[in-house]
């Protein structure tokens, strides 16, 4: 039963109610990592690492703190502090265990760790979703998988619209945003199926 | 800084190098929350209240901090400032406004505006330039979010600042995120057409990147 709920949460966050399209979390970074496929993939994997580990650490703390207004005021600060600790920890680990990877992609670490998507997923889980730990991890994984899926779709759109017939005014970011808007409109049709 | 260079530099950052439409930063709050002019103004003020001090501090002290410590430090600093802003809004302005922005207000701390903008003053940049750029970037962000908020509020609810206006029709779906993406795309296209400058998101220009 719990695995079914986890899978449902994963699919909802990734596709049915894609978190990037339904909230805009991570939209800026999505547009900025489109230049190279490998960058997109590495950034999405780092996002997944930080999102899942933040949820794993934040969830029990969140449950212990309760839901009073004073605690609600402090919760975002607690989540950011947890992410800061994880950022330090993973930076150290990667620098010592995978130095070549860290030299090449170290610039993505702070951008992935302190990302709207990572912090928002940890906040949404208690604020809106009220799920147990495993489905919460499913939401985090789904949100990042949805980010990767959208990045790949948008990259394809950018490649196909890089054409002399495309009006100059819409080349680059404007056409990507219009594409994401139309995609969001399409995905809205799934939203009523299952809601986070 | 020369007095004469103030206005052209300010105008260039607000319009020609607009932080949202030309650099693609800070899209999340615009897509999700810009459905009411009140929210747009509140987020603009919060952005300025955080971007000005973080840019100033990073331009003064950034170079003395180890590179790996800078991103968590300015994110934590921005979070503390935004939690303070949230507390002020909740206690002194409106509980409803705070409840509406609850999820998005603290998320401004991890907004790309701060990681790219405040971060770029960590190694170079004079405090005067940093302050001017931060002010102009906040104004550029405010201009876009307030314009989109006005349009979406008018279209979705037929009101402006919660005041009902005689609008011939309403389109409630304008409050949904897809309308934010579409309006941003159209405004980006218009600005690109007017300025003749393309969107600039060259990889590797990120501020606060670990070395």
């Amino acid at each position: 039963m719990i695995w079914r709920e986890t899978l449902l949460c994963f699919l909802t966050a990734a596709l049915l109610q894609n978190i990037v399209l339904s909230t805009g979390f991570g939209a800026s970074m999505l547009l900025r990592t489109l230049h190279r496929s490998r960058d997109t993939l590495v950034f999405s994997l780092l996002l997944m690492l930080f999102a899942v580990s933040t949820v794993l650490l934040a969830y029990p703390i969140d449950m212990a703190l309760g839901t009073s207004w004073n605690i609600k005021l402090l919760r975002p600060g607690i989540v950011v502090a947890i992410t800061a600790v994880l950022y330090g920890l993973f930076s150290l680990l990667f620098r010592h265990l995978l130095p070549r990877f860290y030299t090449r992609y170290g610039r993505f670490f702070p951008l992935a760790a302190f990302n709207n998507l990572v912090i928002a997923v940890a906040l949404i889980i208690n604020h809106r979703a009220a799920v147990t730990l495993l489905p919460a991890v499913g939401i985090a994984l789904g949100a990042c998988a949805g980010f990767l899926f959208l990045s790949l779709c948008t990259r394809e759109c950018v490649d196909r619209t890089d054409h002399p017939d495309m009006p100059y005014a819409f080349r680059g970011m404007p056409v990507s945003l219009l594409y994401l808007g139309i995609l969001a409109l399409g995905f809205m049709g799934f939203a009523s199926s299952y809601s986070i | 800084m020369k007095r004469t260079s103030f206005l052209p530099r300010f105008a260039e950052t607000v319009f020609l190098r607009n932080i949202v439409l030309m650099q693609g930063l800070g899209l999340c709050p615009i897509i999700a929350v810009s459905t009411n002019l009140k929210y747009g103004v509140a987020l603009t003020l919060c952005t300025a209240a955080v971007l000005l001090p973080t840019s100033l501090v990073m331009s003064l002290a950034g170079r003395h901090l180890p590179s790996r410590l800078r991103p968590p430090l300015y994110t934590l600093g921005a979070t503390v400032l935004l939690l303070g802003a949230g507390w002020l809004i909740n206690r002194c302005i409106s509980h409803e406004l705070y409840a509406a922005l609850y999820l998005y207000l603290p998320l401004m701390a991890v907004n790309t505006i701060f990681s790219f903008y405040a971060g770029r003053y960590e190694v170079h940049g004079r405090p005067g330039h940093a302050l001017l750029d931060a002010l102009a970037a906040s104004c550029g962000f405010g201009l876009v979010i307030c314009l989109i908020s006005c349009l979406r509020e008018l279209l979705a609810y037929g009101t402006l600042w919660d005041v009902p206006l005689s609008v011939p029709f309403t389109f409630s779906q304008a409050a949904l995120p897809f309308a934010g993406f579409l309006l941003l795309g159209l405004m980006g296209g218009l600005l690109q057409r007017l300025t003749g400058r393309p969107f600039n998101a060259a990889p590797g220009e990120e501020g606060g990147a670990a070395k």
Side-chain angles (χ1 to χ4, degrees):
Chain A
M1 193 65 188
I2 189 83
W3 289 105
R4 186 174 165 272
E5 195 185 347
T6 305
L7 182 65
L8 213 51
C9 282
F10 173 85
L11 290 174
T12 304
L15 297 169
L16 302 181
Q17 202 181 351
N18 185 290
I19 285 193
V20 181
L21 289 178
S22 62
T23 59
F25 298 142
S28 301
M29 278 314 296
L30 189 143
L31 291 171
R32 299 185 81 89
T33 50
L34 290 174
H35 300 277
R36 293 190 202 108
S37 305
R38 192 176 287 183
D39 282 1
T40 306
L41 184 67
V42 169
F43 186 79
S44 303
L45 289 174
L46 284 174
L47 211 57
M48 214 172 266
L49 177 72
F50 282 111
V52 171
S53 48
T54 302
V55 165
L56 283 173
L57 272 181
Y59 188 87
I61 295 172
D62 223 9
M63 288 295 151
L65 286 175
T67 53
S68 72
W69 263 106
N70 289 335
I71 292 298
K72 274 192 169 183
L73 271 171
L74 288 175
R75 276 183 62 227
I78 295 166
V79 175
V80 172
I82 289 170
T83 314
V85 171
L86 287 170
Y87 162 73
L89 192 71
F90 284 126
S91 295
L92 271 176
L93 273 176
F94 274 82
R95 202 155 64 104
H96 289 290
L97 300 177
L98 297 165
R100 282 182 65 192
F101 178 87
Y102 189 76
T103 309
R104 189 159 183 190
Y105 297 109
R107 68 197 164 98
F108 285 153
F109 275 67
L111 298 169
F114 303 107
N115 190 288
N116 269 330
L117 202 67
V118 172
I119 310 292
V121 164
L123 286 173
I124 281 176
I125 282 163
N126 201 9
H127 181 63
R128 282 192 194 157
V131 288
T132 51
L133 183 61
L134 213 54
V137 172
I139 293 176
L141 281 172
C144 300
F147 178 92
L148 177 61
F149 169 72
L150 269 189
S151 299
L152 297 175
C153 289
T154 315
R155 189 182 155 79
E156 188 63 24
C157 158
V158 169
D159 285 347
R160 286 179 186 230
T161 52
D162 187 16
H163 191 272
D165 288 345
M166 170 60 74
Y168 174 77
F170 287 102
R171 281 185 203 169
M173 189 182 75
V175 76
S176 305
L177 284 167
L178 291 176
Y179 175 77
L180 287 172
I182 295 165
L183 215 55
L185 192 58
F187 271 77
M188 228 175 64
F190 295 120
S192 59
S193 308
Y194 186 82
S195 172
I196 292 179
Chain B
M1 194 191 318
K2 287 179 188 174
R3 278 181 75 117
T4 48
S5 67
F6 175 86
L7 265 178
R9 190 184 164 96
F10 184 83
E12 191 186 339
T13 309
V14 174
F15 298 107
L16 299 182
R17 289 192 290 125
N18 187 283
I19 196 167
V20 180
L21 300 176
M22 299 305 281
Q23 298 178 57
L25 302 177
L27 299 179
C28 163
I30 298 179
I31 290 159
V33 199
S34 64
T35 54
N36 186 309
L37 186 55
K38 274 184 187 174
Y39 305 161
V41 171
L43 286 177
T44 304
L45 293 176
C46 289
T47 303
V50 176
L51 194 56
L52 287 170
T54 44
S55 297
L56 183 65
V57 168
M58 290 317 288
S59 71
L60 288 169
R63 76 195 71 178
H64 305 298
L65 298 169
S67 62
R68 272 183 301 279
L69 275 182
R70 290 174 201 148
L73 280 179
Y74 65 63
T75 307
L76 283 169
T79 307
V80 170
L81 287 170
L82 281 163
L83 289 178
W87 184 84
L88 271 178
I89 291 172
N90 189 33
R91 287 289 164 95
C92 310
I93 301 173
S94 156
H95 179 71
E96 285 72 32
L97 182 64
Y98 175 73
L101 298 178
Y102 170 70
L103 193 61
Y104 292 91
L105 203 58
L107 283 178
M108 291 296 286
V110 283
N111 198 304
T112 40
I113 292 178
F114 302 114
S115 47
F116 281 72
Y117 235 80
R120 68 192 232 188
Y121 293 111
E122 64 197 22
V123 181
H124 55 82
R126 284 170 286 177
H129 280 183
L131 267 182
L132 175 64
D133 266 3
L135 184 66
S138 306
C139 289
F141 173 79
L143 190 71
V144 176
I145 195 170
C146 288
L147 202 58
I148 290 187
S149 300
C150 283
L151 285 170
R152 288 173 82 181
E153 193 183 349
L154 270 173
L155 274 171
Y157 310 113
T159 61
L160 199 58
W161 200 271
D162 287 339
V163 178
L165 297 175
S166 55
V167 179
F169 67 92
T170 55
F171 174 61
S172 59
Q173 282 78 10
L176 294 171
F178 80 87
F181 279 114
L182 293 179
L183 282 171
L184 271 174
L186 291 173
M187 284 176 70
L190 183 68
L191 191 66
Q192 202 157 288
R193 176 79 181 83
L194 291 174
T195 60
R197 287 187 182 196
F199 166 63
N200 175 27
E205 66 173 24
E206 299 88 349
K211 294 177 178 77

